[in-house]
Amino acid sequence: MKTAAYIANTEVLCCASTLIATLAEASPETSLTKAARSLQGDGEPDDPEVLEHWIVSGCLAEKLIESDEIVDTDFAGLSVWGRRTAGQPIESDDVIVANAKKTRA
């Protein structure tokens, strides 16, 4: 049984927001810069706004994808989650709380 705090502390590994932003602005155009830009969204009005980027475990990445979250499962060999919230602990995010509840069911 995993709690939201457990998921946040063990499956959310490292903030990658600065890395993604730096790569998205870099040139020349490479597969990594394209992937970084993709994680930031296309800027379309209907696209959800990504506020932070986090490296997550492969297991959590799969669960986030099932919950329609923005995730790149092969960003230079890492799984990166485009978090749509900020200013609160990750363990309070609705998607993390929902995934914790699923593990208890």
Side-chain angles (χ1 to χ4, degrees):
M1 175 169 84
K2 295 181 182 179
T3 65
Y6 177 85
I7 292 170
N9 290 324
T10 61
E11 296 191 47
V12 179
L13 308 174
C14 180
C15 183
S17 296
T18 302
L19 172 66
I20 300 299
T22 300
L23 286 170
E25 295 173 8
S27 60
E29 183 97 354
T30 66
S31 60
L32 203 53
T33 58
K34 288 178 188 177
R37 289 182 192 122
S38 175
L39 276 168
Q40 287 190 318
D42 296 329
E44 297 295 321
D46 293 339
D47 285 349
E49 183 178 9
V50 174
L51 302 174
E52 299 176 348
H53 295 90
W54 292 86
I55 298 170
V56 298
S57 70
C59 180
L60 180 57
E62 290 176 19
K63 292 174 184 169
L64 291 168
I65 290 169
E66 290 171 8
S67 298
D68 294 325
E69 291 292 305
I70 298 166
V71 179
D72 183 337
T73 57
D74 189 18
F75 187 84
L78 302 169
S79 295
V80 178
W81 169 36
R83 185 177 182 216
R84 300 183 219 181
T85 58
Q88 68 181 19
I90 291 175
E91 66 192 55
S92 298
D93 280 13
D94 290 342
V95 68
I96 299 299
V97 171
N99 277 299
K101 287 180 181 176
K102 285 180 189 176
T103 65
R104 291 185 215 149

